Amino acid sequence: RFNLGDGFGSLVVGLCAGAMWLCGLAGMTSASRMVFAFARDKGLPMSHWLAKVDENYKTPAPAIWALAVFALVLAFSVSIYSAVVSIATVALYISYGLPIATRLWARLNRKHEKIGPWNLGKFSTLVSILAVGWVSFITIVFMLPPNEQAGQVMGILFLILIFLWGFYVRHRYVGPKYHET
C-alpha cells in the first residue's frame, strides 16, 4: 500500500482540493457571464431579472445565484457521481461544438460568407467537420453505461431548451449586438 505520510499526504490533498475549488470557481465565473450576456440580450426566461448588476459589487449577482442553484439541483438530482461528471463534460463539449456546427452549416449553405480575422483558410471546413464529429462521438461515449442517467438528464434538458426556443426565445432573441470598429 502506498502511503504519502501525514504531512505530505495532507499537502497533496490540500493542493487537489484547491485545484478543484479554482476549477469550479472558473467554471461558475464563465457560465454566469454567459447567463448574464444572454439575459442582457433577452435570450433567457426572466431576462429582466438575470441581467441585473449588483450595485455594491458590480457583478451579475442574480445570474450567479441562479446558476449556483441550478448546479446544486442538478448535482443532487443525479445519484451517480460519474453521471454528474459526464453531464459536465458533455455540456462543455456541446458548448464548443454548437458554434462550430452552426458556422459549418452556414458555410455549407453559403448563408454567411464574412470571415473573421483569424481563420484556418482552406482547412476550415475539414477541421470543422472533424470537430463536430468528435463532439458527437464523445457525447455518445460519455452517455454509455454506467452513465445512462447522464443521457436522460441531457435529453430532458434538450427538450426543455427546444421548448423554450420554440415558444419563447426565437420571438425575442435577435442575437448579440455587433459593434463595427
Side-chain angles (χ1 to χ4, degrees), residues 7-145:
F8 188 62
S10 296
L11 177 67
V12 170
V13 168
L15 288 172
C16 290
M20 287 188 283
W21 171 261
L22 291 172
C23 286
L25 185 62
M28 283 296 293
T29 301
S30 173
S32 64
R33 288 178 60 89
M34 284 186 274
V35 167
F36 170 76
F38 276 109
R40 178 196 61 210
D41 296 338
K42 297 178 179 39
L44 292 175
M46 301 186 312
S47 289
H48 63 283
W49 178 71
L50 290 170
K52 288 183 180 177
V53 175
D54 185 87
E55 295 288 326
N56 296 329
Y57 300 107
K58 308 292 187 230
T59 59
I64 294 168
W65 283 110
L67 193 62
V69 167
F70 177 74
L72 283 172
V73 167
L74 184 62
F76 287 123
S77 67
V78 178
S79 59
I80 304 168
Y81 177 74
S82 64
V84 173
V85 172
S86 292
I87 291 168
T89 305
V90 166
L92 182 64
Y93 270 102
I94 290 172
S95 74
Y96 288 134
L98 282 176
I100 296 168
T102 54
R103 177 66 178 121
L104 179 63
W105 176 263
R107 186 180 303 124
L108 294 175
N109 289 303
R110 304 210 188 282
K111 293 189 180 214
H112 184 65
E113 291 300 323
K114 188 174 180 180
I115 297 174
W118 189 90
N119 62 74
L120 297 172
K122 63 181 179 179
F123 298 107
S124 186
T125 302
L126 174 64
V127 170
S128 296
I129 291 169
L130 291 173
V132 170
W134 175 255
V135 168
S136 301
F137 171 74
I138 205 70
T139 298
I140 293 166
V141 167
F142 272 100
M143 292 185 196
L144 293 174

Side-chain angles (χ1 to χ4, degrees), residues 24 37 145 178:
Y178 292 100

